[in-house]
Amino acid sequence: MAAAEFAATYPMSPRNPGSGGQEARQLQAWIGGPEPGGGRALVVLANYGPDEGQGGFGSAMRGRQRVAASWEDLGLDTGGGYAVRNVWTGEEEQAEGGLEAELDEGESVLLWSDDIFI
């Protein structure tokens, strides 16, 4: 519920891995936030699967793909990293250069950054 409330306050926007752009792509990242002062953020990493003529991104990568977004891609300015938690599994980790996940076609991960660490 906290993630949904956060996204209602800080709407999600696309920030493509590798560019930070917003054009349609098979591998995407979305971010809500961060809170003012560089606080918490909510991030989705997604592998939409091959285009098949309807996605508008024209790629045909099949199977599991590494989806990685740097802090710069996500529009975050941090001197260190973030402590992040997978909203669906509860797993926690410290992410220093950005976020990444191995995702199958049609799979995504929802990550919540709890705090910045240096």
Side-chain angles (χ1 to χ4, degrees):
M1 291 303 296
E5 289 174 14
F6 185 87
T9 303
Y10 301 99
M12 304 296 284
S13 63
R15 298 291 301 228
N16 287 332
S19 71
Q22 297 184 339
E23 63 279 352
R25 290 209 176 153
Q26 179 176 342
L27 307 179
Q28 287 194 7
W30 291 74
I31 184 167
E35 291 176 317
R40 297 180 302 171
L42 190 62
V43 175
V44 173
L45 299 178
N47 174 1
Y48 292 121
D51 189 324
E52 299 182 12
Q54 298 175 349
F57 42 81
S59 64
M61 295 180 285
R62 300 226 175 259
R64 294 183 73 74
Q65 301 293 324
R66 179 179 169 268
V67 182
S70 70
W71 300 137
E72 184 178 76
D73 293 341
L74 295 169
L76 299 174
D77 183 22
T78 175
Y82 283 88
V84 296
R85 180 172 35 92
N86 182 316
V87 173
W88 297 318
T89 67
E91 293 177 30
E92 296 181 8
E93 67 177 281
Q94 290 188 346
E96 293 190 28
L99 300 170
E100 65 179 63
E102 292 285 331
L103 301 172
D104 209 347
E105 298 172 20
E107 190 175 23
S108 63
V109 63
L110 180 61
L111 303 166
W112 178 269
S113 68
D114 293 322
D115 349 61
I116 296 174
F117 67 88
I118 304 290

